[in-house]
Amino acid sequence: YFVYTPVPHVIVSAEEGESKMLYSTTFHPLHALTQKWPQVEIRGSAQAILVDAPNSTRNLPRPHYLALLHLFDTSTKRYAHHAYRFQHEPPFMILQVSSQLPLSEAAATPNGVAFAFASGLAVKGNTVLVTYGAGDREARALV
């Protein structure tokens, strides 16, 4: 399975060089956001990681996937990054979205606009690691 888009949350299979849409669900708070601010595009990023640690995830004490998404404002060309959790079995509905991740930004060029872009996700024990680029010139991590 692969997440094709976060809104709608489309899950596809990929076999023998072809993909097939298997499930499509809507997380209403994200859908409402796109209706209220049509200039914001919701995009996916990185892999989804299965989390099965009820004692470590008190806000969602059951198996689920953890993934990242980006809110891209087409008018300002700015990104906001969030983690989200979705069901670990079909239809893989989104269950929760985090507040904005506090990524440290950097400018790509002197006097340029500072930005960061989340690109990787790992979980080891009780620790979540988000890797990201800052200003297209530095690799950073949020733990």
Side-chain angles (χ1 to χ4, degrees):
Y1 300 115
F2 297 92
V3 175
Y4 185 69
T5 60
V7 177
H9 198 234
V10 174
I11 306 298
V12 299
S13 67
E15 297 177 20
E16 300 178 19
E18 294 186 16
S19 64
K20 177 182 177 184
M21 185 177 84
L22 300 175
Y23 307 98
S24 180
T25 59
T26 299
F27 185 64
H28 294 287
L30 290 177
H31 178 72
L33 186 144
T34 62
Q35 298 301 302
K36 186 173 182 178
W37 292 295
Q39 78 278 9
V40 173
E41 296 176 355
I42 301 175
R43 302 173 177 177
S45 175
Q47 65 280 10
I49 307 252
L50 180 63
V51 175
D52 189 2
N55 294 330
S56 298
T57 57
R58 285 176 273 162
N59 290 333
L60 192 62
R62 64 179 192 251
H64 60 274
Y65 280 101
L66 178 67
L68 300 175
L69 59 80
H70 312 285
L71 303 182
F72 179 68
D73 188 324
T74 59
S75 63
T76 63
K77 308 296 188 210
R78 304 280 303 169
Y79 285 95
H81 306 274
H82 300 262
Y84 75 100
R85 296 173 174 179
F86 62 96
Q87 291 176 321
H88 79 289
E89 53 194 15
F92 303 104
M93 290 175 42
I94 294 177
L95 302 168
Q96 298 175 334
V97 176
S98 75
S99 57
Q100 184 173 344
L101 298 175
L103 305 183
S104 297
E105 299 177 329
T109 59
N111 301 318
V113 176
F115 68 95
F117 190 84
S119 57
L121 178 65
V123 175
K124 177 137 175 122
N126 294 336
T127 303
V128 175
L129 176 74
V130 176
T131 58
Y132 65 99
D136 279 344
R137 61 185 179 98
E138 295 178 12
R140 296 183 180 175
L142 174 68
V143 181

